[in-house]
Amino acid sequence: MKITLPKLSPMRSPEFTFGVATSSFQIEGSVETRLPCIWDSFYQQEGSVADNSNGDVACDHINRWQEDLALISSLEVDAYRFSISWARVMNKDGSVNQQGMKFYIALLDELKSKNIKAFVTLYHWDLPLHLEEQGGWLNRNTAYKFRDYTQCVVAEFGDRVYSYATLNEPFCSAYLGYEIGIHAPGIKGKAFGKKAAHHLLLAHGLAMQVLNQESPNTLNGIVLNFTPCYAETNSREDISASEFADDYFNQWYIKPLFDAQYPEILNQLPTTDHPDVVDGDLDIISQPIDFLGINYYSRAIYRADTTENFISVLPKDVPLTDMGWEIYPKAFTELLEDLNNKYILPPIYITENGAAMVDEKINGQINDTSRIEYYQSHIAAVNNAIAKGVNIHGYFAWSLMDNFEWAEGYLKRFGIVHVDYETQQRTIKASGYAYRDLISNR
Ligand code: IFM
């Protein structure tokens, strides 16, 4: 089974970047060689991680990185997106952990020697625990600590990097981590989500100032996730409920970047839930960026409600991934067009897209046709958006390999490469071969 592109697709151009993505906590393991981060303690909270697992070993990438880079190279991708563990490269006193930096520098050098572009994400949810103990993203000072960390990374990495993203999916850090508490650090309270979000966005803006000044030759930006919001019916009430949800979950993170303001619904939220905005913050947050990373997996459907601003409705009889997420590629094209109409955007990279599916290993092979179908339909959706005028420069499959899927532990597999967690053996799935062939047959 193949993944194909239309004959004249711009995605066939050698200028279009195809890559694979991972993140530090999800693959690295070797926790004893770095400072603890919020995910190291989160799993100890009763019921927080579905299989009670942790990131102590994960994919043992710290010890197997050369094998993993060979694997990436065998997939013939143009780029590898990965994140830096803040807790691995910085000491508590703000000095650099040379051992940790060395690890990433060796990895970057090896990528360069293999002619694979390095897309570095500076923060993918693994805040050093000692910073959480000082209030984490609820403490404005964390944003300044992030700026300092960025400065150190940029100074150490020199010209080895192709692209820096400040944050991965600040929505998840803020909403899942500080509002509904299903991700680390597990804090719950409506009053906290938007406050944490503001400090994350401030951290992004401060880091962008560093990147634009100290690393002007890299492609610098941020990665946002979007779950497009649809109304259950055409009623005015359901439509406004879905618009409210869209502002709350999606536009909240992009509008400050491009319009230097939060969505209007801010005025409908109780003042106790407002972010603590200091004069000048929105100017910092809306620094120019070279690219916008967009992560898409699924859509959501909303209904009006008499007590809440919206309630989410689970669609019936629709195809789902193993995460229970609806497979709905049309929303991907619509999202890209909609953002393109709403904002003046820099070049877009699809920095994550993919699916957790139930994989079966039969005679040593994983014939994951449902994942190939997912990729086929979503890559076609990207192609359609480009045809409609959206300026998209790249696409990254999430994920290179099965890994620690946060609150789901190791139960959900997103990889195009299978990982046997007992032996750490990697096996390229049929989707991995199909992705490789798509790239090499451009
Ligand atoms: O695994 C995550 C990733 O860390 C961030 N984006 C969504 C993926 C799938 O849930």
Side-chain angles (χ1 to χ4, degrees), residues 249-295:
F249 295 128
N250 297 319
Q251 308 306 323
W252 198 272
Y253 298 85
I254 184 169
K255 196 170 172 63
L257 300 180
F258 295 107
D259 293 351
Q261 57 183 352
Y262 285 111
E264 292 252 309
I265 59 155
L266 172 67
N267 304 316
Q268 294 171 51
L269 302 178
T271 47
T272 43
D273 301 358
H274 283 201
D276 300 320
V277 181
V278 171
D279 269 358
D281 281 2
L282 284 151
D283 294 333
I284 297 173
I285 291 171
S286 57
Q287 297 295 304
I289 56 178
D290 302 328
F291 82 99
L292 175 66
I294 292 182
N295 296 353

mmCIF file of all heavy atoms in Angstrom, residues 249-295:
data_model
loop_
_atom_site.group_PDB
_atom_site.id
_atom_site.type_symbol
_atom_site.label_atom_id
_atom_site.label_comp_id
_atom_site.label_asym_id
_atom_site.label_seq_id
_atom_site.Cartn_x
_atom_site.Cartn_y
_atom_site.Cartn_z
ATOM 1 N N PHE A 249 -9.849 27.607 22.712
ATOM 2 C CA PHE A 249 -8.830 26.557 22.556
ATOM 3 C C PHE A 249 -7.797 26.859 21.476
ATOM 4 O O PHE A 249 -6.658 26.426 21.569
ATOM 5 C CB PHE A 249 -9.494 25.214 22.229
ATOM 6 C CG PHE A 249 -10.362 24.685 23.329
ATOM 7 C CD1 PHE A 249 -11.671 24.297 23.080
ATOM 8 C CD2 PHE A 249 -9.871 24.563 24.620
ATOM 9 C CE1 PHE A 249 -12.470 23.810 24.105
ATOM 10 C CE2 PHE A 249 -10.660 24.067 25.651
ATOM 11 C CZ PHE A 249 -11.967 23.690 25.393
ATOM 12 N N ASN A 250 -8.232 27.514 20.411
ATOM 13 C CA ASN A 250 -7.344 27.671 19.248
ATOM 14 C C ASN A 250 -6.843 29.095 19.058
ATOM 15 O O ASN A 250 -5.649 29.373 19.116
ATOM 16 C CB ASN A 250 -8.070 27.225 17.966
ATOM 17 C CG ASN A 250 -8.438 25.751 18.001
ATOM 18 O OD1 ASN A 250 -7.654 24.926 18.453
ATOM 19 N ND2 ASN A 250 -9.625 25.419 17.528
ATOM 20 N N GLN A 251 -7.806 30.036 18.843
ATOM 21 C CA GLN A 251 -7.392 31.408 18.504
ATOM 22 C C GLN A 251 -6.634 32.055 19.668
ATOM 23 O O GLN A 251 -5.845 32.976 19.470
ATOM 24 C CB GLN A 251 -8.604 32.283 18.126
ATOM 25 C CG GLN A 251 -9.502 31.692 17.047
ATOM 26 C CD GLN A 251 -8.763 31.308 15.776
ATOM 27 O OE1 GLN A 251 -7.833 31.990 15.347
ATOM 28 N NE2 GLN A 251 -9.158 30.197 15.166
ATOM 29 N N TRP A 252 -6.888 31.555 20.887
ATOM 30 C CA TRP A 252 -6.233 32.137 22.066
ATOM 31 C C TRP A 252 -4.706 32.162 21.910
ATOM 32 O O TRP A 252 -4.016 33.019 22.443
ATOM 33 C CB TRP A 252 -6.608 31.344 23.323
ATOM 34 C CG TRP A 252 -6.338 32.140 24.552
ATOM 35 C CD1 TRP A 252 -5.164 32.196 25.263
ATOM 36 C CD2 TRP A 252 -7.239 33.054 25.171
ATOM 37 N NE1 TRP A 252 -5.285 33.088 26.296
ATOM 38 C CE2 TRP A 252 -6.554 33.634 26.270
ATOM 39 C CE3 TRP A 252 -8.567 33.441 24.924
ATOM 40 C CZ2 TRP A 252 -7.136 34.574 27.110
ATOM 41 C CZ3 TRP A 252 -9.148 34.370 25.764
ATOM 42 C CH2 TRP A 252 -8.440 34.932 26.832
ATOM 43 N N TYR A 253 -4.201 31.177 21.198
ATOM 44 C CA TYR A 253 -2.743 31.025 21.119
ATOM 45 C C TYR A 253 -2.160 31.661 19.863
ATOM 46 O O TYR A 253 -0.964 31.952 19.836
ATOM 47 C CB TYR A 253 -2.379 29.521 21.192
ATOM 48 C CG TYR A 253 -2.845 28.968 22.520
ATOM 49 C CD1 TYR A 253 -4.167 28.509 22.686
ATOM 50 C CD2 TYR A 253 -2.017 29.009 23.630
ATOM 51 C CE1 TYR A 253 -4.618 28.078 23.924
ATOM 52 C CE2 TYR A 253 -2.464 28.576 24.870
ATOM 53 C CZ TYR A 253 -3.762 28.111 25.012
ATOM 54 O OH TYR A 253 -4.202 27.707 26.243
ATOM 55 N N ILE A 254 -2.976 31.893 18.864
ATOM 56 C CA ILE A 254 -2.435 32.450 17.615
ATOM 57 C C ILE A 254 -2.716 33.951 17.498
ATOM 58 O O ILE A 254 -1.884 34.706 16.977
ATOM 59 C CB ILE A 254 -2.945 31.659 16.369
ATOM 60 C CG1 ILE A 254 -2.282 32.198 15.095
ATOM 61 C CG2 ILE A 254 -4.452 31.628 16.223
ATOM 62 C CD1 ILE A 254 -2.495 31.333 13.872
ATOM 63 N N LYS A 255 -3.858 34.392 17.990
ATOM 64 C CA LYS A 255 -4.218 35.802 17.806
ATOM 65 C C LYS A 255 -3.206 36.747 18.473
ATOM 66 O O LYS A 255 -2.790 37.734 17.858
ATOM 67 C CB LYS A 255 -5.647 36.043 18.338
ATOM 68 C CG LYS A 255 -6.242 37.353 17.837
ATOM 69 C CD LYS A 255 -7.716 37.438 18.173
ATOM 70 C CE LYS A 255 -8.284 38.799 17.857
ATOM 71 N NZ LYS A 255 -8.243 39.168 16.430
ATOM 72 N N PRO A 256 -2.745 36.449 19.690
ATOM 73 C CA PRO A 256 -1.726 37.337 20.276
ATOM 74 C C PRO A 256 -0.444 37.393 19.454
ATOM 75 O O PRO A 256 0.232 38.422 19.432
ATOM 76 C CB PRO A 256 -1.442 36.722 21.647
ATOM 77 C CG PRO A 256 -2.442 35.663 21.854
ATOM 78 C CD PRO A 256 -3.159 35.369 20.595
ATOM 79 N N LEU A 257 -0.123 36.314 18.742
ATOM 80 C CA LEU A 257 1.115 36.294 17.949
ATOM 81 C C LEU A 257 1.035 37.230 16.756
ATOM 82 O O LEU A 257 2.012 37.877 16.392
ATOM 83 C CB LEU A 257 1.397 34.885 17.395
ATOM 84 C CG LEU A 257 1.583 33.741 18.379
ATOM 85 C CD1 LEU A 257 1.843 32.456 17.608
ATOM 86 C CD2 LEU A 257 2.748 34.020 19.307
ATOM 87 N N PHE A 258 -0.144 37.279 16.134
ATOM 88 C CA PHE A 258 -0.253 38.048 14.879
ATOM 89 C C PHE A 258 -1.043 39.346 15.033
ATOM 90 O O PHE A 258 -0.829 40.287 14.274
ATOM 91 C CB PHE A 258 -0.859 37.173 13.767
ATOM 92 C CG PHE A 258 0.045 36.027 13.411
ATOM 93 C CD1 PHE A 258 -0.268 34.731 13.783
ATOM 94 C CD2 PHE A 258 1.253 36.257 12.758
ATOM 95 C CE1 PHE A 258 0.591 33.685 13.493
ATOM 96 C CE2 PHE A 258 2.119 35.215 12.473
ATOM 97 C CZ PHE A 258 1.787 33.918 12.846
ATOM 98 N N ASP A 259 -1.954 39.399 16.012
ATOM 99 C CA ASP A 259 -2.772 40.613 16.179
ATOM 100 C C ASP A 259 -2.450 41.331 17.489
ATOM 101 O O ASP A 259 -3.099 42.339 17.815
ATOM 102 C CB ASP A 259 -4.270 40.256 16.181
ATOM 103 C CG ASP A 259 -4.732 39.747 14.824
ATOM 104 O OD1 ASP A 259 -3.938 39.826 13.855
ATOM 105 O OD2 ASP A 259 -5.874 39.257 14.737
ATOM 106 N N ALA A 260 -1.501 40.803 18.248
ATOM 107 C CA ALA A 260 -1.108 41.403 19.530
ATOM 108 C C ALA A 260 -2.300 41.631 20.463
ATOM 109 O O ALA A 260 -2.365 42.620 21.190
ATOM 110 C CB ALA A 260 -0.338 42.708 19.310
ATOM 111 N N GLN A 261 -3.262 40.731 20.422
ATOM 112 C CA GLN A 261 -4.369 40.798 21.382
ATOM 113 C C GLN A 261 -5.000 39.423 21.577
ATOM 114 O O GLN A 261 -4.867 38.543 20.718
ATOM 115 C CB GLN A 261 -5.426 41.797 20.931
ATOM 116 C CG GLN A 261 -5.988 41.516 19.564
ATOM 117 C CD GLN A 261 -6.984 42.577 19.108
ATOM 118 O OE1 GLN A 261 -7.352 43.440 19.867
ATOM 119 N NE2 GLN A 261 -7.429 42.493 17.874
ATOM 120 N N TYR A 262 -5.682 39.265 22.704
ATOM 121 C CA TYR A 262 -6.412 38.024 22.946
ATOM 122 C C TYR A 262 -7.786 38.119 22.299
ATOM 123 O O TYR A 262 -8.289 39.232 22.064
ATOM 124 C CB TYR A 262 -6.533 37.760 24.457
ATOM 125 C CG TYR A 262 -5.231 37.269 25.049
ATOM 126 C CD1 TYR A 262 -4.477 38.051 25.917
ATOM 127 C CD2 TYR A 262 -4.747 36.011 24.697
ATOM 128 C CE1 TYR A 262 -3.261 37.590 26.429
ATOM 129 C CE2 TYR A 262 -3.529 35.544 25.202
ATOM 130 C CZ TYR A 262 -2.802 36.337 26.061
ATOM 131 O OH TYR A 262 -1.608 35.877 26.551
ATOM 132 N N PRO A 263 -8.411 36.975 21.998
ATOM 133 C CA PRO A 263 -9.761 37.021 21.431
ATOM 134 C C PRO A 263 -10.730 37.784 22.347
ATOM 135 O O PRO A 263 -10.548 37.812 23.566
ATOM 136 C CB PRO A 263 -10.152 35.547 21.334
ATOM 137 C CG PRO A 263 -8.867 34.806 21.284
ATOM 138 C CD PRO A 263 -7.901 35.602 22.110
ATOM 139 N N GLU A 264 -11.750 38.343 21.718
ATOM 140 C CA GLU A 264 -12.775 39.143 22.429
ATOM 141 C C GLU A 264 -13.407 38.427 23.610
ATOM 142 O O GLU A 264 -13.845 39.059 24.563
ATOM 143 C CB GLU A 264 -13.907 39.471 21.455
ATOM 144 C CG GLU A 264 -13.510 40.420 20.351
ATOM 145 C CD GLU A 264 -14.136 41.773 20.571
ATOM 146 O OE1 GLU A 264 -15.349 41.796 20.781
ATOM 147 O OE2 GLU A 264 -13.388 42.771 20.530
ATOM 148 N N ILE A 265 -13.475 37.092 23.554
ATOM 149 C CA ILE A 265 -14.138 36.352 24.638
ATOM 150 C C ILE A 265 -13.465 36.590 25.982
ATOM 151 O O ILE A 265 -14.021 36.255 27.017
ATOM 152 C CB ILE A 265 -14.228 34.831 24.371
ATOM 153 C CG1 ILE A 265 -12.825 34.232 24.179
ATOM 154 C CG2 ILE A 265 -15.155 34.497 23.222
ATOM 155 C CD1 ILE A 265 -12.777 32.748 24.507
ATOM 156 N N LEU A 266 -12.274 37.178 25.944
ATOM 157 C CA LEU A 266 -11.607 37.537 27.199
ATOM 158 C C LEU A 266 -12.569 38.303 28.098
ATOM 159 O O LEU A 266 -12.646 38.064 29.310
ATOM 160 C CB LEU A 266 -10.361 38.392 26.888
ATOM 161 C CG LEU A 266 -9.638 39.022 28.072
ATOM 162 C CD1 LEU A 266 -8.988 37.935 28.942
ATOM 163 C CD2 LEU A 266 -8.567 39.999 27.617
ATOM 164 N N ASN A 267 -13.353 39.201 27.479
ATOM 165 C CA ASN A 267 -14.264 40.045 28.258
ATOM 166 C C ASN A 267 -15.449 39.272 28.824
ATOM 167 O O ASN A 267 -16.142 39.756 29.703
ATOM 168 C CB ASN A 267 -14.765 41.210 27.406
ATOM 169 C CG ASN A 267 -13.594 41.993 26.864
ATOM 170 O OD1 ASN A 267 -12.648 42.261 27.611
ATOM 171 N ND2 ASN A 267 -13.611 42.318 25.572
ATOM 172 N N GLN A 268 -15.675 38.066 28.301
ATOM 173 C CA GLN A 268 -16.771 37.249 28.842
ATOM 174 C C GLN A 268 -16.294 36.312 29.948
ATOM 175 O O GLN A 268 -17.099 35.646 30.595
ATOM 176 C CB GLN A 268 -17.395 36.419 27.725
ATOM 177 C CG GLN A 268 -18.101 37.266 26.664
ATOM 178 C CD GLN A 268 -18.510 36.405 25.482
ATOM 179 O OE1 GLN A 268 -19.145 35.369 25.643
ATOM 180 N NE2 GLN A 268 -18.137 36.830 24.284
ATOM 181 N N LEU A 269 -14.987 36.228 30.137
ATOM 182 C CA LEU A 269 -14.463 35.331 31.175
ATOM 183 C C LEU A 269 -14.438 36.096 32.503
ATOM 184 O O LEU A 269 -14.160 37.305 32.512
ATOM 185 C CB LEU A 269 -13.043 34.872 30.828
ATOM 186 C CG LEU A 269 -12.853 34.138 29.496
ATOM 187 C CD1 LEU A 269 -11.375 33.788 29.281
ATOM 188 C CD2 LEU A 269 -13.697 32.872 29.439
ATOM 189 N N PRO A 270 -14.683 35.403 33.618
ATOM 190 C CA PRO A 270 -14.590 36.092 34.916
ATOM 191 C C PRO A 270 -13.189 36.682 35.081
ATOM 192 O O PRO A 270 -12.207 36.063 34.641
ATOM 193 C CB PRO A 270 -14.825 34.973 35.934
ATOM 194 C CG PRO A 270 -15.189 33.757 35.169
ATOM 195 C CD PRO A 270 -14.994 33.986 33.720
ATOM 196 N N THR A 271 -13.096 37.849 35.689
ATOM 197 C CA THR A 271 -11.772 38.499 35.788
ATOM 198 C C THR A 271 -10.771 37.626 36.550
ATOM 199 O O THR A 271 -9.572 37.688 36.298
ATOM 200 C CB THR A 271 -11.857 39.888 36.444
ATOM 201 O OG1 THR A 271 -12.660 39.757 37.612
ATOM 202 C CG2 THR A 271 -12.448 40.931 35.519
ATOM 203 N N THR A 272 -11.266 36.769 37.428
ATOM 204 C CA THR A 272 -10.344 35.878 38.161
ATOM 205 C C THR A 272 -9.609 34.926 37.209
ATOM 206 O O THR A 272 -8.539 34.417 37.542
ATOM 207 C CB THR A 272 -11.138 35.011 39.161
ATOM 208 O OG1 THR A 272 -12.322 34.545 38.497
ATOM 209 C CG2 THR A 272 -11.486 35.787 40.415
ATOM 210 N N ASP A 273 -10.203 34.681 36.050
ATOM 211 C CA ASP A 273 -9.574 33.741 35.094
ATOM 212 C C ASP A 273 -8.694 34.473 34.076
ATOM 213 O O ASP A 273 -8.104 33.838 33.197
ATOM 214 C CB ASP A 273 -10.642 32.962 34.300
ATOM 215 C CG ASP A 273 -11.562 32.159 35.199
ATOM 216 O OD1 ASP A 273 -11.337 32.175 36.426
ATOM 217 O OD2 ASP A 273 -12.498 31.524 34.678
ATOM 218 N N HIS A 274 -8.623 35.778 34.170
ATOM 219 C CA HIS A 274 -7.851 36.528 33.164
ATOM 220 C C HIS A 274 -6.349 36.303 33.335
ATOM 221 O O HIS A 274 -5.879 36.114 34.457
ATOM 222 C CB HIS A 274 -8.134 38.035 33.303
ATOM 223 C CG HIS A 274 -9.451 38.439 32.718
ATOM 224 N ND1 HIS A 274 -9.742 39.722 32.352
ATOM 225 C CD2 HIS A 274 -10.553 37.721 32.414
ATOM 226 C CE1 HIS A 274 -10.968 39.779 31.867
ATOM 227 N NE2 HIS A 274 -11.489 38.581 31.903
ATOM 228 N N PRO A 275 -5.619 36.384 32.239
ATOM 229 C CA PRO A 275 -4.154 36.331 32.365
ATOM 230 C C PRO A 275 -3.636 37.613 33.007
ATOM 231 O O PRO A 275 -4.315 38.649 32.942
ATOM 232 C CB PRO A 275 -3.683 36.239 30.903
ATOM 233 C CG PRO A 275 -4.809 36.730 30.081
ATOM 234 C CD PRO A 275 -6.070 36.502 30.848
ATOM 235 N N ASP A 276 -2.462 37.543 33.619
ATOM 236 C CA ASP A 276 -1.874 38.741 34.234
ATOM 237 C C ASP A 276 -0.996 39.420 33.189
ATOM 238 O O ASP A 276 0.195 39.121 33.081
ATOM 239 C CB ASP A 276 -1.045 38.347 35.469
ATOM 240 C CG ASP A 276 -1.922 37.654 36.505
ATOM 241 O OD1 ASP A 276 -3.077 38.097 36.701
ATOM 242 O OD2 ASP A 276 -1.467 36.645 37.077
ATOM 243 N N VAL A 277 -1.606 40.312 32.446
ATOM 244 C CA VAL A 277 -0.884 40.953 31.334
ATOM 245 C C VAL A 277 -0.264 42.264 31.813
ATOM 246 O O VAL A 277 -0.957 43.114 32.359
ATOM 247 C CB VAL A 277 -1.840 41.225 30.146
ATOM 248 C CG1 VAL A 277 -1.087 41.868 28.980
ATOM 249 C CG2 VAL A 277 -2.534 39.948 29.699
ATOM 250 N N VAL A 278 1.021 42.405 31.595
ATOM 251 C CA VAL A 278 1.721 43.644 31.956
ATOM 252 C C VAL A 278 1.880 44.456 30.664
ATOM 253 O O VAL A 278 2.038 43.881 29.582
ATOM 254 C CB VAL A 278 3.113 43.283 32.561
ATOM 255 C CG1 VAL A 278 3.980 44.514 32.761
ATOM 256 C CG2 VAL A 278 2.927 42.519 33.871
ATOM 257 N N ASP A 279 1.824 45.772 30.784
ATOM 258 C CA ASP A 279 1.984 46.642 29.598
ATOM 259 C C ASP A 279 3.204 46.226 28.787
ATOM 260 O O ASP A 279 4.278 46.050 29.357
ATOM 261 C CB ASP A 279 2.222 48.101 30.055
ATOM 262 C CG ASP A 279 0.901 48.832 30.176
ATOM 263 O OD1 ASP A 279 -0.143 48.217 29.871
ATOM 264 O OD2 ASP A 279 0.940 50.009 30.589
ATOM 265 N N GLY A 280 3.039 46.112 27.500
ATOM 266 C CA GLY A 280 4.193 45.772 26.655
ATOM 267 C C GLY A 280 4.301 44.279 26.364
ATOM 268 O O GLY A 280 4.990 43.864 25.432
ATOM 269 N N ASP A 281 3.591 43.443 27.156
ATOM 270 C CA ASP A 281 3.710 41.983 26.954
ATOM 271 C C ASP A 281 3.290 41.578 25.547
ATOM 272 O O ASP A 281 3.937 40.743 24.902
ATOM 273 C CB ASP A 281 2.805 41.220 27.938
ATOM 274 C CG ASP A 281 3.416 41.114 29.322
ATOM 275 O OD1 ASP A 281 4.524 41.655 29.528
ATOM 276 O OD2 ASP A 281 2.770 40.495 30.195
ATOM 277 N N LEU A 282 2.178 42.170 25.073
ATOM 278 C CA LEU A 282 1.670 41.715 23.772
ATOM 279 C C LEU A 282 2.590 42.155 22.627
ATOM 280 O O LEU A 282 2.645 41.482 21.593
ATOM 281 C CB LEU A 282 0.216 42.145 23.584
ATOM 282 C CG LEU A 282 -0.674 41.224 24.438
ATOM 283 C CD1 LEU A 282 -1.936 41.902 24.911
ATOM 284 C CD2 LEU A 282 -0.984 39.914 23.723
ATOM 285 N N ASP A 283 3.346 43.211 22.842
ATOM 286 C CA ASP A 283 4.348 43.579 21.828
ATOM 287 C C ASP A 283 5.476 42.547 21.798
ATOM 288 O O ASP A 283 5.987 42.199 20.732
ATOM 289 C CB ASP A 283 4.958 44.964 22.140
ATOM 290 C CG ASP A 283 3.913 46.059 22.008
ATOM 291 O OD1 ASP A 283 2.961 45.852 21.230
ATOM 292 O OD2 ASP A 283 4.040 47.088 22.700
ATOM 293 N N ILE A 284 5.837 42.081 22.985
ATOM 294 C CA ILE A 284 6.898 41.048 23.036
ATOM 295 C C ILE A 284 6.391 39.767 22.383
ATOM 296 O O ILE A 284 7.081 39.132 21.586
ATOM 297 C CB ILE A 284 7.316 40.775 24.511
ATOM 298 C CG1 ILE A 284 7.915 42.045 25.126
ATOM 299 C CG2 ILE A 284 8.292 39.610 24.594
ATOM 300 C CD1 ILE A 284 8.205 41.934 26.621
ATOM 301 N N ILE A 285 5.141 39.411 22.708
ATOM 302 C CA ILE A 285 4.572 38.149 22.194
ATOM 303 C C ILE A 285 4.436 38.182 20.671
ATOM 304 O O ILE A 285 4.584 37.151 20.005
ATOM 305 C CB ILE A 285 3.207 37.882 22.885
ATOM 306 C CG1 ILE A 285 3.437 37.549 24.368
ATOM 307 C CG2 ILE A 285 2.425 36.771 22.194
ATOM 308 C CD1 ILE A 285 2.176 37.481 25.208
ATOM 309 N N SER A 286 4.175 39.358 20.130
ATOM 310 C CA SER A 286 3.919 39.425 18.671
ATOM 311 C C SER A 286 5.179 39.762 17.861
ATOM 312 O O SER A 286 5.084 40.327 16.787
ATOM 313 C CB SER A 286 2.807 40.433 18.392
ATOM 314 O OG SER A 286 3.158 41.698 18.926
ATOM 315 N N GLN A 287 6.350 39.372 18.383
ATOM 316 C CA GLN A 287 7.589 39.472 17.588
ATOM 317 C C GLN A 287 7.381 38.804 16.245
ATOM 318 O O GLN A 287 6.719 37.782 16.181
ATOM 319 C CB GLN A 287 8.711 38.640 18.262
ATOM 320 C CG GLN A 287 9.143 39.054 19.615
ATOM 321 C CD GLN A 287 9.782 40.409 19.581
ATOM 322 O OE1 GLN A 287 10.730 40.608 18.841
ATOM 323 N NE2 GLN A 287 9.245 41.329 20.344
ATOM 324 N N PRO A 288 8.005 39.311 15.190
ATOM 325 C CA PRO A 288 7.888 38.594 13.913
ATOM 326 C C PRO A 288 8.478 37.179 14.004
ATOM 327 O O PRO A 288 9.473 36.980 14.707
ATOM 328 C CB PRO A 288 8.711 39.448 12.940
ATOM 329 C CG PRO A 288 9.363 40.515 13.742
ATOM 330 C CD PRO A 288 8.791 40.530 15.119
ATOM 331 N N ILE A 289 7.818 36.254 13.342
ATOM 332 C CA ILE A 289 8.366 34.892 13.305
ATOM 333 C C ILE A 289 8.601 34.478 11.851
ATOM 334 O O ILE A 289 7.923 34.961 10.955
ATOM 335 C CB ILE A 289 7.452 33.865 14.023
ATOM 336 C CG1 ILE A 289 6.021 33.864 13.446
ATOM 337 C CG2 ILE A 289 7.404 34.125 15.518
ATOM 338 C CD1 ILE A 289 5.105 32.831 14.102
ATOM 339 N N ASP A 290 9.565 33.580 11.655
ATOM 340 C CA ASP A 290 9.899 33.154 10.285
ATOM 341 C C ASP A 290 8.981 32.050 9.789
ATOM 342 O O ASP A 290 8.854 31.829 8.591
ATOM 343 C CB ASP A 290 11.333 32.593 10.228
ATOM 344 C CG ASP A 290 12.357 33.599 10.697
ATOM 345 O OD1 ASP A 290 12.139 34.801 10.488
ATOM 346 O OD2 ASP A 290 13.378 33.174 11.288
ATOM 347 N N PHE A 291 8.444 31.280 10.729
ATOM 348 C CA PHE A 291 7.532 30.211 10.305
ATOM 349 C C PHE A 291 6.542 29.931 11.427
ATOM 350 O O PHE A 291 6.798 30.229 12.595
ATOM 351 C CB PHE A 291 8.292 28.922 9.948
ATOM 352 C CG PHE A 291 8.646 28.072 11.140
ATOM 353 C CD1 PHE A 291 7.872 26.964 11.490
ATOM 354 C CD2 PHE A 291 9.745 28.372 11.925
ATOM 355 C CE1 PHE A 291 8.196 26.182 12.595
ATOM 356 C CE2 PHE A 291 10.078 27.603 13.036
ATOM 357 C CZ PHE A 291 9.307 26.507 13.364
ATOM 358 N N LEU A 292 5.408 29.380 11.023
ATOM 359 C CA LEU A 292 4.434 28.903 12.004
ATOM 360 C C LEU A 292 4.314 27.390 11.837
ATOM 361 O O LEU A 292 4.043 26.897 10.734
ATOM 362 C CB LEU A 292 3.064 29.561 11.765
ATOM 363 C CG LEU A 292 1.939 29.031 12.656
ATOM 364 C CD1 LEU A 292 2.180 29.393 14.123
ATOM 365 C CD2 LEU A 292 0.580 29.570 12.207
ATOM 366 N N GLY A 293 4.545 26.674 12.923
ATOM 367 C CA GLY A 293 4.353 25.220 12.898
ATOM 368 C C GLY A 293 2.918 24.915 13.294
ATOM 369 O O GLY A 293 2.403 25.463 14.276
ATOM 370 N N ILE A 294 2.281 24.055 12.523
ATOM 371 C CA ILE A 294 0.886 23.689 12.815
ATOM 372 C C ILE A 294 0.811 22.175 13.016
ATOM 373 O O ILE A 294 1.272 21.405 12.169
ATOM 374 C CB ILE A 294 -0.048 24.138 11.668
ATOM 375 C CG1 ILE A 294 -0.098 25.674 11.632
ATOM 376 C CG2 ILE A 294 -1.445 23.536 11.828
ATOM 377 C CD1 ILE A 294 -1.013 26.243 10.573
ATOM 378 N N ASN A 295 0.234 21.785 14.158
ATOM 379 C CA ASN A 295 0.001 20.362 14.424
ATOM 380 C C ASN A 295 -1.489 20.090 14.309
ATOM 381 O O ASN A 295 -2.298 20.793 14.919
ATOM 382 C CB ASN A 295 0.446 19.991 15.841
ATOM 383 C CG ASN A 295 1.943 20.159 16.044
ATOM 384 O OD1 ASN A 295 2.684 20.425 15.096
ATOM 385 N ND2 ASN A 295 2.391 20.008 17.275
#
